[in-house]
Amino acid sequence: MSQATRILAGLGAGLALGIVLAGQSPDTALSGIAVAEPIGTAWLNALRMTIVPLVVALLITGIAQTAEAARAGRIATRSLLLFIVILWTSSALGALVTLTLLDLFPLGDTAAQALRATFGTAAPAAKVPPFTDFLVAIVPTNPVSAAANDQFLPLILFTLVFGFAMTRLPKDNRHVLVRLFQAIADTMLIVINWVLWLGPIGVFALGYVVGARAGTAAFGALVHYVLVLMTVGLSIWLLAYPLARFGGRVSIGRFLKGTAPAQAVAISTQSSLASLPAMLKGSGDLGVPVATSGVVLPMAVALFRATGPAMNLGVALYVAHVFGVPLGAGQIAAGIAAGAITTMGAASLPGQISFVSSIAPIAVAMGVPVEPLALLVAVETLPDIVRTLGNVTMNVAVTTVIGERVGGERVSEADAILADG
């Protein structure tokens, strides 16, 4: 049984037990909460303790990988620039779509109150400064203090400056630092895998508390969350089609045909890496030379997740919606920036690990509680399918755009039609 299935089963069992006991023996259900809540909280804290070192290490190694790729030539540089544009677009679009959906289809008061009661100790992580003070507040006077106080935007800024300064060091010194931070990241991933191995226990405890306090409203709330988040991801998936049509000059029908095998692999495996051979084949069918796709697609798999900013920000906005956290323009702008910047550092991580390490900085930057993330990660299976589907489709779309821009040999539409006939 896969790790995701074990965690999802733990959530289902915890919810079911909590709902049944709440209906048949409320006193027993409350007694169980006193036992389950500390277990769930301890598991959540174990996840949270890895976030700061993991985010810092991944950002620095991600910058190093990006700089190395940019030195590889014109194709790599253009790809990186397009990746950055799409990531920021994804983050902004994620904010727009999520806020619109929550305005049109808000979570019911009963379900929202039940979830708030479940995480009664949750509170906004930090006070977000007014927009007029944003530029001053984002520059840390002490990066160690920023890390200790979960002030992620100042910490991210310092990490970015440090990472880019590191790329100017002599090769030997630079490689020493990269190896150090890569070792830190690898160590944190081992710790997270240990924590996730205990995930069924932690999620069972959290699910039990939700079921016991919220009853059947908890199930409806989780379904609402999954539908909202999947819709956000599908909006990025749809964006790949006009990008290929107008940027790569590939017709929609031909793009659908060329990406269908890669999309099938993405849905079945939830892995962009496993979809790479099918993406390479599909790009070739769309007329992109191997000299281009062989550079762009491996970079995209390693550094680029188009759905990440939109869906990660969508999770944070959903939690804010449940807890009634008022969000001003400055907080939303902070979330968009954190979503776009942190995604490249988390791109190479498995979905359940990147869920926590990518979303927590966004939530903290916006002043949104992070405690619900430990529960929401358990229902990440369906959203993760959409994440991978959107990423794979966008990867091929970006490849067609780069292939068009670098002036490589392209198969014309007429030649493709003749070949098909």
Side-chain angles (χ1 to χ4, degrees), residues 280-369:
L280 288 166
K281 176 65 167 59
S283 298
D285 293 342
L286 295 173
V288 181
V290 176
T292 298
S293 62
V295 174
V296 178
L297 286 173
M299 283 180 55
V301 170
L303 298 172
F304 177 57
R305 278 185 175 175
T307 59
M311 297 183 73
N312 293 343
L313 181 57
V315 175
L317 291 172
Y318 192 93
V319 173
H321 174 72
V322 170
F323 280 81
V325 178
L327 298 176
Q331 288 165 290
I332 294 174
I336 291 173
I341 292 170
T342 57
T343 300
M344 290 187 76
S348 60
L349 299 180
Q352 289 179 317
I353 296 177
S354 63
F355 182 89
V356 176
S357 65
S358 298
I359 299 170
I362 301 172
V364 173
M366 298 172 65
V368 173

Side-chain angles (χ1 to χ4, degrees), residues 21-254:
L21 287 181
Q24 297 185 356
S25 179
D27 291 339
T28 303
L30 291 176
S31 299
I33 288 176
V35 176
E37 195 165 37
I39 295 174
T41 301
W43 182 74
L44 169 61
N45 290 342
L47 278 178
R48 293 182 64 178
M49 74 179 181
T50 64
I51 292 173
V52 169
L54 182 62
V55 169
V56 170
L58 288 174
L59 275 177
I60 290 175
T61 55
I63 291 170
Q65 291 175 343
T66 302
E68 290 294 331
R71 295 188 184 102
R74 181 176 60 169
I75 293 176
T77 301
R78 292 192 178 193
S79 300
L80 289 170
L81 292 175
L82 186 54
F83 291 165
I84 292 170
V85 170
I86 292 175
L87 290 175
W88 281 86
T89 302
S90 170
S91 197
L93 185 61
L96 176 63
V97 173
T98 305
L99 292 173
T100 301
L101 289 172
L102 292 177
D103 185 54
L104 295 175
F105 309 103
L107 182 64
D109 289 339
T110 301
Q113 290 173 5
L115 287 183
R116 286 197 296 270
T118 301
F119 294 96
T121 59
K127 182 179 180 181
V128 177
F131 189 71
T132 54
D133 298 335
F134 181 76
L135 292 178
V136 175
I138 199 175
V139 180
T141 57
N142 185 340
V144 176
S145 175
N149 293 305
D150 287 343
Q151 297 173 348
F152 271 97
L153 279 181
L155 179 62
I156 289 170
L157 178 63
F158 172 80
T159 304
L160 289 174
V161 172
F162 182 92
F164 283 111
M166 183 187 67
T167 64
R168 306 300 297 273
L169 292 174
K171 182 178 180 179
D172 291 342
N173 292 343
R174 183 173 70 249
H175 285 180
V176 168
L177 281 176
V178 171
R179 286 196 295 269
L180 170 64
F181 283 102
Q182 185 62 60
I184 293 173
D186 292 342
T187 303
M188 289 299 101
L189 292 179
I190 292 173
V191 174
I192 289 178
N193 279 323
W194 288 346
V195 176
L196 289 179
W197 187 82
L198 297 172
I201 299 174
V203 171
F204 174 87
L206 292 171
Y208 171 82
V209 174
V210 171
R213 285 179 171 166
T216 55
F219 180 77
L222 292 175
V223 171
H224 182 265
Y225 160 78
V226 168
L227 291 176
V228 169
L229 196 61
M230 290 178 66
T231 303
V232 173
L234 289 173
S235 69
I236 305 301
W237 170 68
L238 290 173
L239 188 63
Y241 293 88
L243 179 65
R245 177 66 187 89
F246 298 107
R249 299 188 180 182
V250 176
S251 68
I252 298 296
R254 191 172 168 216

